Each structure stands twice: as C-alpha cells, then as structure tokens.
C-alpha cells in the first residue's frame, strides 16, 4: 500500500519521540520544543519517563497547535523511533498517512510493516561514530543528531536552536560546539537525502509573544516566595521534589540578608513525611508561613497530623503533586487520584480546604491564595496539582508580582489588642463565622493557651463532656461553610443555555476546552464548569442545578470528583455521567469527544428502542 500523505499541516501536528531513559534525549526534546516556542508558535511538551535511573523506555510528545490547544490530541503524526524495544507499539500509534523517522544505521524491518505511513531513515549512529570519540559521547550526540534531522524536516530555524544552546550551556562553550555539530550533521543529511520540509512543518507566528515556558512546580515555588513563606520542611518524593528544589533556589536569592549573608529562611529535609508536616505545623503555630510538598503516599503518612491541625486549628499549606496509585503505583505517571484523600484526610470528622490549579500560572497564584486561606481560616489548605502540571513545561502568561501585596494573617490578636481584653480564650467564636481569634507565642502573657488535639472546650480546656465537645465540632462545620465564600470560584464557560454540560478539574482543562470546540463543530453544544476549590460554593450548586445531563471528566478510576459532588452538593446523582481516564498519561481531547458522542448515541438508541 502506498501511503497517502496528509495535505500541508502547518503549525498543526503532533510528534512523539521514543528513546531510552538516560541517553540524553531530554535535552534534545526540550531544545526542539523551545525552538518552536521561540518561533512564536503555541506548543506543548509532555515527558513520559520511567521511575528508574536509566535503561527503560521513555517518550516525549510535542503538540504544535496554531490554535493554542495545550492538551494531547490523541493522535501522533510523526514518530521518532529510537528504541528498538518499543518499535512495535510505537509504529501502531502513528496515524494513517503519518511519518516514522528511525536510525537507519541498522536494518529495521519491523518498521516497514505498515504501508499507510512513510518511513524515513537517517544513519544517526553511523554519523556520530564517524564524527565523535567515546562511547558515551556518541550515544548522547546521536539523540542531539535526530534533533537536527527534525529541524530540517519541520523547517526549524537553526539560528534559533544555536541561540537556545548558547543559553543552556553558557558556561560550557565546548558543549555548545559539540551539540551544534551533531545537529548540523543531522540537518545536512536530511536536507540532502530526505523530503524537506514535510507537509507537517512549522512557520513563524507571533502567538507566544509575552508568554513564558514554566512548569507548575517551579511556578508554585515562586508563589511560596511571593506569599512570604520562610519555612519549608519536606521528604523527597516524585513528582514533588522539584518544587522544593525550586523554592530553595529562589530563597537562596530572595531570603538572604544582604548585610550579613545569613539566610532568613529554614529549609529542612525531614526523616519522613510525618516529621515534615509536624515541622510545618510547629512553624505555623509559631507565626511563620510554612509549607511542605509531597505526593499521594506522603499525604497518606501525614493524615494523623492533618487531623491535629484541623482540630487544633493550625494553619498549614501542603502541595500534593499527584501521581498514579495506589501504594507506590507509577511514580512518574500522572493522575488525579488523591481528591477524596485530601478532602477528608485523617480519622474522625475532618474536611479540608483544597485548591485545584489547572496550569502553572494558577499554581503561582493559588500558592499565594493557599497561605492566605490557611491563616484566614486557621486550617490546613491542600493544593492539588499533578505530575503533568508539576513537571512539564507549559506556555503561560507572565506572572504578576505585585509589590503592594500584603499577606492576610487572619484573626490574630497583637499585643495592644490583648492588653485591652480581660481574658483570651482560643476557641471562642465571637463573629459567628466559625473562625476564632489566635495569638503568636511570646507576644503577651494573656495570649498563652494550650494547643490541644485532644477533646477541648471553646475555652481551650480539656474535656470529655459530650455537649462541650460537640459545640467545638459544630463550630468547625460552621467554619467550613464560611470557607465556601473564600475559595476560588469555579470558571464557567459555554453558550449558557445548553441542555448538557461538562464538569472537570485541574489539568483536564485544556483537553476539555479543545473537546468542546470539536463537539460544537459536530453540533453538540455543552456548557463547562471547572471546579477550582473545595468546599464547593453556591456557584457550583447553581450550575449543577441548571443542567439535566452532566459529564464529569477526571483522571482516576473511581470517579472521585463525581463522588465529592454527590456527597457535598444537592445534585441529583442520576444527572452525573463519568468520563474516567486513568492510564497514567494525560487525558486527550479525543478521549472526551469520543466519550460524549458514544454516550449520546447510546441515549439515542435507548430512546428509539423505547418508542418501538
């Protein structure tokens, strides 16, 4: 079969690169993605890497989208096959009419099994063996060499690639020249022997001006600095470690006394996650803004202390960068499987405020909101991003740093206020919003109190009396109702009159927005609500009440967002239909489109059968 190549697809295609972990492919892939971004073209890069150090398969997916879509499309137009172990699965993924690039230094008959794709070969290993010395260098340069071939096939500007190399290796000029030499080898070979450029190619645009590329962990760390955080305690766990690494890097610049050179922050690697959250609570109780980052297994270990913080009313901020579970699961794959755990963490009756960013930009702003909410409400606040947001680079608008920002410390009585009251009681609620007043240690003798995780009265004294205990617990319920006014409101879009709707959360947002556009072209109009905070406010209640058919899109097996909506709102359960994606890869727009259309078709068949 002769492949029928697609018409020109300028700035509208997806390519995927299959390599072996530990061979330096990450640098080449990032270089390609950023060179497209520097060309003014909206682009997305997603890294699917194993949890070992090296040797296992890894993939990198680049979506070029002139329309600015940031999710996986569900289609691969160009596959770069650099790992013999995965040839069979890689070739299956290529769309009919697509392209396959491989290292033709050796015969690869397995890549010639499909007649509806075009196979392109370049002798990458042979060229690198002839031009570089040393086994390790040749392996590394081979991956840089394929970047040169792709630059020619896609019509990328080599000047821009050299510019990026110069920025990356500014202090190592020898590396710049070696990498550029490998890129030129691949580029020249492709120009001479391959059809350049392909119908899938790039052309400069101006759609990325004023934007930046940043990952969610880095953006969240910067938000912590902006919010005034001075204490970070943690235990390393994938995929949250880079958040703490970034915070330390920022704090080393922004939290050091210019005269003495002494650090004005504490950065503590604890012996485990339980110790880390304990340190965070101690620092927050003492008046510092403190936080930790973790993932699902770490959040599980923190549960007991989260219950203490909820009941003793100690602020804390926790970033949960979700990965695939249960147990150790797949540490380097993405999911949204901690929604229920975070909302109800710890034994007993506990409910926690949660924030759900959808991209790195929101990670920055929600980091600040998390600290303000934690102190305003005197409770833990859990920010749930995921590996896709946390560790992948996203195209974002510039982050707005407002020098006039003042942290919201909430209801804190200072020295003067304490002097002017007869007596201070920690858990009394004079404003009837569920939030009592607190004090910082050492401010005034009147401000002293016992911080109790055991049964206590509103005066702060120990109790096992049923009525006294219940009074405090009921006030905490009232506080949770108050929180509904403070959490970020949901984002609503769509025609506003549709019979059906989609409700989603977090990193599903890009895929949902693209799916809505595709569905509209097919005559299916849906409204869209993206939940951004828990507890759910009246805005969520209103949206759910206004629609008769609601698709809940989320990335877990057990419909955790749907469960939370059913438990915490007045929605009729029969309205909600789940579209569940839990493979560990980010959800694609195609998955949502196919799911909605299949469900609507089934409804149509059921109605037709009933009429018969």
């Amino acid at each position: 079969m002769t492949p029928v190549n697609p018409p020109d697809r300028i700035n509208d295609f997806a390519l995927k690169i299959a390599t072996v972990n530990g061979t330096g492919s990450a640098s080449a892939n990032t270089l390609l993605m950023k060179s497209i971004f520097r060309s003014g073209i909206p682009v997305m890069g997603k890294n699917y890497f194993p949890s070992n150090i090296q040797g296992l398969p890894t993939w990198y997916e680049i979506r070029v989208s002139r329309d600015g879509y940031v999710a996986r499309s569900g289609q691969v137009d160009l596959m770069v096959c650099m790992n013999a172990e995965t040839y069979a699965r890689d070739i299956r993924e290529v769309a009919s009419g697509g392209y396959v690039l491989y290292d033709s230094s050796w015969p690869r008959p397995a890549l010639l099994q499909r007649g509806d794709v075009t196979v392109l070969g370049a002798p990458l290993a042979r060229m690198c063996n002839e031009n570089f010395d040393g086994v390790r260098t040749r392996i590394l340069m081979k991956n840089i060499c394929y970047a040169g071939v792709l630059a020619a096939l896609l019509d990328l500007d080599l000047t821009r690639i050299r510019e990026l190399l110069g920025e990356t290796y500014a202090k190592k000029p020898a590396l710049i020249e070696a990498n550029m030499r490998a890129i030129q080898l691949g580029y020249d070979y492709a120009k001479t022997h391959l059809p350049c450029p392909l119908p899938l190619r790039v052309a400069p645009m101006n759609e990325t001006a004023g934007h930046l590329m940043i990952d969610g962990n880095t953006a969240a760390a910067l938000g912590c600095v902006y919010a005034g955080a001075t204490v970070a305690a943690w235990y390393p766990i994938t995929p949250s470690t880079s958040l703490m690494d970034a915070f330390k890097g920022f704090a080393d610049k922004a939290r050091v006394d210019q005269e003495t050179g002494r650090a004005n922050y504490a950065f503590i690697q604890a012996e485990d996650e339980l110790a880390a959250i304990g340190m965070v609570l101690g620092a927050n109780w003492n008046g510092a803004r403190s936080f930790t980052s973790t993932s699902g297994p770490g959040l599980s270990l923190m549960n007991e202390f989260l219950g203490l913080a909820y009941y003793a009313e100690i602020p804390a901020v926790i970033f949960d960068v979700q990965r695939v579970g249960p147990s150790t699961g797949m540490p380097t794959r993405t999911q949204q499987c901690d929604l229920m755990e975070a909302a109800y963490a710890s034994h007993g009756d506990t409910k926690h405020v949660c924030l759900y960013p959808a991209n790195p930009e929101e990670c920055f702003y929600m980091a600040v909101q998390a600290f303000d909410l934690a102190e305003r409400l005197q409770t833990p606040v859990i920010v749930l991003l995921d590996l896709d947001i946390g560790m992948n680079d996203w195209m974002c608008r510039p982050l707005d740093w407002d020098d006039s920002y003042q942290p919201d410390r909430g209801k804190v009585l200072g020295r003067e206020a304490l002097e002017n009251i007869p007596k201070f009681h920690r858990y009394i609620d004079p404003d009837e919003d569920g939030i009592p007043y607190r004090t910082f240690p050492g401010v005034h003798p009147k401000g002293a109190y016992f911080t109790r995780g055991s049964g206590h009265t509103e005066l702060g004294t120990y109790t096992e009396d049923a009525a006294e205990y219940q009074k405090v617990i009921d006030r905490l319920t009232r506080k949770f109702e108050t929180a509904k006014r403070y959490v970020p409101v949901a984002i609503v879009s769509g025609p506003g009159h549709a019979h059906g709707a989609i409700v989603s959360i977090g990193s599903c947002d890009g895929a949902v927005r693209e799916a809505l556009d595709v569905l509209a072209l097919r005559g299916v109009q849906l409204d869209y609500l993206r939940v951004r905070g828990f507890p759910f406010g009246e805005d969520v209640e209103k949206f759910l009440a206004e629609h008769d058919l609601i698709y809940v899109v989320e990335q877990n097996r057990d419909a955790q967002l749907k469960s939370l909506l059913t438990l915490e709102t007045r929605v009729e359960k029969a309205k909600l239909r789940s579209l569940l994606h839990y493979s560990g890869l980010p959800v694609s727009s195609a998955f949502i489109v196919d799911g909605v259309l299949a469900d609507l078709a089934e409804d149509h068949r059921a109605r037709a059968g009933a009429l018969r």
Side-chain angles (χ1 to χ4, degrees):
M1 181 189 302
T2 302
V4 178
N5 294 330
D8 283 4
R9 294 268 300 281
I10 299 173
N11 298 337
D12 182 26
F13 60 90
L15 67 101
K16 194 170 183 179
I17 303 164
T19 57
V20 177
N21 198 40
T23 58
S25 60
S27 298
N29 300 337
T30 302
L31 184 70
L32 285 166
M33 192 264 293
K34 289 187 175 179
S35 67
I36 296 170
F37 173 76
R38 291 280 182 94
S39 299
I41 307 162
V43 64
M44 166 221 82
K46 295 192 185 299
N47 192 16
Y48 314 131
F49 59 100
S51 55
N52 74 330
I53 296 174
Q54 63 180 23
L56 290 181
T58 184
W59 293 268
Y60 193 84
E61 188 171 356
I62 296 175
R63 170 92 183 273
V64 182
S65 172
R66 59 175 177 251
D67 297 318
Y69 293 127
V70 297
R72 294 173 60 234
S73 65
Q75 175 172 307
V76 175
D77 303 298
L78 168 60
M79 178 70 76
V80 181
C81 293
M82 299 292 292
N83 185 356
E85 290 186 14
T86 62
Y87 280 165
R89 65 180 292 183
D90 294 335
I91 196 74
R92 284 197 301 268
E93 283 193 55
V94 184
S96 183
Y99 298 84
V100 173
L101 172 66
Y102 78 106
D103 184 354
S104 62
S105 300
W106 305 275
R108 299 298 188 190
L111 295 177
L112 305 175
Q113 299 301 313
R114 285 184 58 183
D116 61 336
V117 299
T118 300
V119 179
L120 307 171
L124 304 173
R126 178 169 61 78
M127 289 192 295
C128 289
N129 289 344
E130 293 171 354
N131 287 274
F132 295 97
D133 296 324
V135 174
R136 180 62 179 165
T137 299
R138 289 167 174 171
I139 291 173
L140 295 174
M141 289 303 109
K142 183 175 70 171
N143 284 332
I144 296 296
C145 193
Y146 75 63
V149 175
L150 287 171
L153 293 173
L154 302 178
D155 208 16
L156 282 168
D157 186 348
L158 283 189
T159 304
R160 188 163 283 112
I161 291 177
R162 176 177 278 278
E163 176 186 283
L164 282 162
L165 280 172
E167 294 174 9
T168 305
Y169 301 114
K171 297 181 179 179
K172 299 177 180 179
L175 282 179
I176 298 174
E177 293 310 313
N179 279 269
M180 199 62 212
R181 185 180 174 194
I183 287 170
Q184 194 72 52
L185 282 171
Y187 186 88
D188 291 343
Y189 180 89
K191 280 290 190 179
T192 303
H193 299 94
L194 300 178
C196 296
L198 295 178
L200 312 173
R201 63 181 188 273
V202 301
M205 299 177 67
N206 193 32
E207 294 301 311
T208 63
H211 288 71
L212 54 91
M213 297 293 293
I214 191 171
D215 64 81
N217 283 351
T218 300
L222 190 60
C224 292
V225 174
Y226 180 39
T230 56
V231 178
W234 66 303
Y235 184 78
I237 184 171
T238 302
S240 72
T241 297
S242 61
L243 195 159
M244 283 301 193
D245 291 341
F247 177 77
K248 187 175 188 304
F250 292 135
D252 283 340
K253 297 178 181 178
R255 294 273 186 271
V256 175
D257 187 278
Q258 296 300 311
E259 294 182 3
T260 65
R262 294 184 60 184
N264 292 327
Y265 74 97
F267 186 81
I268 310 158
Q269 181 174 326
E271 61 267 33
D272 56 32
E273 288 89 350
L274 188 60
I277 188 62
M279 294 172 184
V280 167
L281 296 183
N284 275 291
W285 174 85
N286 205 45
R289 284 198 153 182
S290 179
F291 72 98
T292 189
S293 70
T294 190
S295 192
L299 191 66
S300 296
L301 289 174
M302 294 178 184
N303 265 229
E304 185 175 356
F305 264 145
L306 287 172
L308 167 67
Y310 172 82
Y311 191 31
E313 299 178 73
I314 304 171
V317 172
I318 302 97
F319 292 92
D320 176 13
V321 190
Q322 299 168 93
R323 68 190 205 185
V324 173
S327 187
T328 305
M330 296 192 292
T332 57
R333 294 291 186 265
T334 195
Q335 253 184 32
Q336 297 170 322
C337 52
D338 299 346
L339 304 183
M340 295 289 285
E341 178 186 17
Y344 303 120
S346 197
H347 54 279
D349 292 323
T350 54
K351 291 183 181 180
H352 300 294
V353 174
C354 299
L355 304 182
Y356 309 116
N359 51 57
E361 183 180 347
E362 285 195 336
C363 288
F364 173 77
Y365 295 115
M366 285 191 180
V368 182
Q369 289 176 302
F371 283 100
D372 284 349
L373 284 170
E375 294 207 279
R376 184 185 297 160
L377 298 167
Q378 300 172 30
T379 197
V381 173
I382 304 172
V383 184
L384 288 102
L385 50 160
D386 57 36
L387 183 146
D388 182 24
I389 298 174
M391 294 192 70
N392 286 322
D393 286 325
W394 293 57
M395 188 177 82
C396 294
R397 294 172 297 187
L399 306 176
D400 184 18
W401 190 288
D402 181 1
D403 285 333
S404 66
Y405 163 74
Q406 292 293 323
D408 184 348
R409 307 307 303 267
K411 296 182 179 181
V412 179
L413 297 178
R415 183 177 185 84
E416 183 178 348
L418 287 167
E419 285 180 344
N420 292 326
I421 60 173
K423 198 166 186 179
F424 169 67
H425 294 294
R426 173 66 177 96
Y427 298 115
I428 287 179
D429 178 22
D431 302 325
E432 297 186 347
D433 59 0
I435 307 171
Y437 285 78
R438 63 179 178 134
T439 61
F440 293 144
V443 171
H444 194 284
K446 279 187 182 178
Y449 64 93
F450 281 110
T451 304
R452 295 187 180 275
S454 55
H456 53 264
T457 70
E458 63 179 356
L459 304 180
T461 59
Y462 179 80
T463 187
E464 293 186 15
D465 179 82
E468 291 176 338
Y469 164 80
Q470 191 166 328
K471 188 172 185 179
V472 172
I473 288 294
D474 288 345
R475 178 180 58 75
L476 292 175
T477 300
R478 194 158 64 248
K479 182 202 285 191
F480 198 70
E481 289 297 312
T482 297
K484 293 179 179 180
R485 304 200 304 266
Y486 293 134
V487 297
V489 297
I491 302 294
V492 177
S493 59
H497 55 73
H499 160 75
I502 290 179
V503 173
S504 194
I505 196 169
S507 63
C508 297
D509 182 58
V512 171
R513 289 188 179 278
E514 182 176 0
L516 289 169
D517 289 348
V518 174
L519 289 167
L521 291 173
R522 300 189 185 185
V524 179
Q525 295 280 347
L526 297 173
D527 291 326
Y528 174 37
L529 177 137
R530 175 164 65 87
V531 175
R532 297 201 301 160
F534 179 78
F536 307 128
E538 282 302 314
D539 53 337
V540 176
E541 293 274 10
K542 180 174 181 290
F543 185 92
L544 297 176
E546 288 174 345
H547 295 85
D548 298 323
L549 173 62
I550 302 168
Y551 296 101
V552 184
V553 178
E554 52 186 310
Q555 298 182 74
N556 56 70
R557 185 196 69 182
D558 292 342
Q560 295 186 31
L561 175 59
K562 178 183 172 184
S563 297
L564 279 176
L565 291 170
T566 303
L567 288 167
E568 299 289 344
T569 73
R570 299 181 294 273
V571 68
E572 297 174 24
K573 187 176 180 179
K575 286 184 176 186
L576 305 180
R577 300 187 185 182
S578 288
L579 293 178
L580 304 174
H581 187 276
Y582 47 90
S583 67
L585 299 178
V587 64
S588 70
S589 55
F591 170 84
I592 300 168
V593 170
D594 293 345
V596 169
L597 293 178
D599 186 77
L600 292 175
E602 181 61 32
D603 269 3
H604 179 74
R605 285 192 294 271
R607 287 195 298 270
L611 290 174
R612 287 198 299 269

